[in-house]
Amino acid sequence: MSKPISLTGIKPTGTPHLGNYLGAIKPALELREKYSTVYFIADYHALTSVHNREEMRSNTYKVAATWLALGLNPEEGLFYKQSDIPEIFELSWLLSCFTPKGFMNRAHAYKDKVAKNQTAGTDPDDGVNMGLYSYPCLMDADILMFKSDIVPVGKDQKQHVEFSRDIAERFNKHYGKNIFVLPEAVMQADTDIIPGLDGRKMSKSYGNTIEIFLEPKELKNKIGKIVTNSQPIEEPKEPEKCNVFALYKLFASEERADALAARYRAGGMGWGHAKDALRELLEERFAKPREQYKALLADTAQIDKILAHGAEKARTIAKPFMQEIRDTVGVV
Ligand code: TRP
């Protein structure tokens, strides 16, 4: 029996950080045991907000290199760039013809933007392009094209996957044929528990991130910025109340975390020592992938080749399926 299909869309915006790693990348890579996996770079989704050529190119390569360096095997399952699969855009249009406009009005990214404009007293649709408005229709095509059974997402994307399920169901009912598989959103670990430098959730929008592949010196500087209190070295400290420890615990074995906690409680350990321990741990985990990441980025032709090969493989599925869908609606 073949495995169920899990599909992960990765929007190439910004340099991936430890919050992305723990909340999205690591759990998505672990799905390989139970699922046949599809990973793709959602570059046309990024285009709704990134309108700078260099930024678009470098983010796309960075994101591809990150996933490859952290263990994504392009030979297993599918790995491609959305913009390389024209059938996805064809399907997106087709599905938009089955999508009530009211769904898009309710889509949270659009709604948030309108709410912000209203607060600012500007036109409600200020800064809203049609790509942003119909963003969920493109996601529907991403998801339904590859017959995804599950779609692991963060809470902000759950609504989009529910739209896909709804549209798929309407379409199937309308044509009396089980063309589309009904996808299910699977919630990813709550990233709220991953603290950034200031103790708030690690997020690009708070400017408190630690990027995954920092050079040792940069890493040391970043970790130096983690906010601690002013307890002196000799005083015993509470690991549960410390941002450094919270991060340490997310990466360490239980044994090592317990050992560091004991050092906190014993007194005689300063924040500098705790930060060194975290730095060493992260260095151990990411030094090797960092070399791979750098090697890939130094040879983007290699990434192009991997993605081109992935697209070719994906299109062997997308092309005949799109034909079947066209036939279903009577486009001949
Ligand atoms: N919108 C998703 C995000 O912002 C990325 C994405 C695009 C996606 N297409 C998808 C996620 C399909 C899951 C399935 O993170």
Side-chain angles (χ1 to χ4, degrees):
M1 261 252 328
S2 61
K3 293 183 193 167
I5 296 171
S6 161
L7 173 132
T8 303
I10 311 151
K11 202 155 90 170
T13 43
T15 308
H17 55 73
L18 296 180
N20 301 137
Y21 174 73
L22 290 169
I25 302 175
K26 187 165 169 260
L29 288 173
E30 282 165 359
L31 289 166
R32 286 177 299 186
E33 284 162 29
K34 293 203 189 122
Y35 293 89
S36 173
T37 50
V38 180
Y39 303 100
F40 72 96
I41 303 177
D43 51 351
Y44 269 164
H45 274 111
L47 194 62
T48 62
S49 61
V50 179
H51 290 176
N52 174 301
R53 177 176 189 273
E54 271 324 300
E55 194 185 335
M56 183 64 118
R57 284 175 57 86
S58 88
N59 283 347
T60 301
Y61 283 130
K62 272 187 197 164
V63 127
T66 299
W67 284 72
L68 290 166
L70 291 171
L72 189 157
N73 177 357
E75 295 305 323
E76 224 177 81
L78 296 176
F79 179 51
Y80 56 86
K81 189 153 55 72
Q82 182 188 41
S83 61
D84 286 338
I85 319 288
E87 290 77 16
I88 291 176
F89 305 97
E90 189 175 349
L91 182 57
S92 178
W93 173 261
L94 193 141
L95 293 172
S96 77
C97 299
F98 292 83
T99 304
K101 177 171 173 282
F103 275 25
M104 300 298 99
N105 292 340
R106 291 206 304 277
H108 80 90
Y110 170 69
K111 250 177 67 180
D112 288 355
K113 191 109 188 172
V114 170
K116 272 194 195 132
N117 283 336
Q118 276 161 346
T119 314
T122 51
D123 184 282
D125 281 336
D126 215 24
V128 177
N129 57 51
M130 283 304 293
L132 175 68
Y133 186 65
S134 50
Y135 188 109
C137 288
L138 183 52
M139 261 183 86
D140 295 343
D142 289 331
I143 294 170
L144 301 180
M145 179 63 93
F146 294 97
K147 300 186 164 65
S148 319
D149 294 291
I150 67 155
V151 184
V153 283
K155 359 177 221 255
D156 65 324
Q157 299 295 320
K158 188 164 178 262
Q159 182 200 34
H160 292 154
V161 182
E162 281 162 1
F163 285 161
S164 300
R165 193 181 169 89
D166 195 317
I167 309 284
E169 208 167 6
R170 282 166 194 244
F171 187 98
N172 288 352
K173 267 213 187 107
H174 183 79
Y175 290 101
K177 221 169 150 189
N178 277 335
I179 289 276
F180 294 121
V181 169
L182 308 189
E184 204 175 311
V186 172
M187 297 308 284
Q188 278 175 340
D190 197 348
T191 49
D192 290 355
I193 58 160
I194 302 161
L197 301 175
D198 55 1
R200 289 189 291 173
K201 167 189 171 158
M202 188 177 288
S203 158
K204 215 176 61 163
S205 48
Y206 293 147
N208 64 358
T209 56
I210 301 176
E211 287 66 37
I212 303 172
F213 298 121
L214 292 175
E215 291 293 329
K217 234 179 152 174
E218 298 168 318
L219 181 64
K220 189 170 166 41
N221 279 338
K222 265 279 158 94
I223 290 179
K225 291 188 185 134
I226 299 177
V227 177
T228 50
N229 63 22
S230 54
Q231 279 179 289
I233 295 198
E234 13 359 305
E235 235 173 77
K237 300 176 175 64
E238 291 177 84
E240 297 77 16
K241 291 195 177 153
C242 174
N243 294 329
V244 180
F245 187 78
L247 278 171
Y248 190 88
K249 209 173 142 195
L250 290 166
F251 287 93
S253 63
E254 220 180 301
E255 235 181 351
R256 276 176 87 172
D258 287 347
L260 185 66
R263 284 179 68 199
Y264 268 70
R265 295 193 186 100
M269 186 205 70
W271 296 126
H273 299 125
K275 288 181 175 181
D276 279 345
L278 176 61
R279 185 176 49 78
E280 277 161 27
L281 185 68
L282 292 177
E283 192 55 26
E284 254 172 56
R285 172 66 190 85
F286 294 113
K288 222 166 143 197
R290 182 177 65 227
E291 292 316 305
Q292 268 170 294
Y293 174 77
K294 286 196 320 201
L296 281 161
L297 284 184
D299 179 14
T300 50
Q302 200 187 332
I303 303 179
D304 289 336
K305 212 163 118 195
I306 292 170
L307 290 173
H309 176 67
E312 206 179 302
K313 212 161 126 192
R315 289 189 78 192
T316 63
I317 298 169
K319 268 192 204 168
F321 189 36
M322 194 61 225
Q323 198 48 49
E324 190 187 339
I325 301 164
R326 289 170 58 121
D327 184 58
T328 303
V329 301
V331 174
V332 288

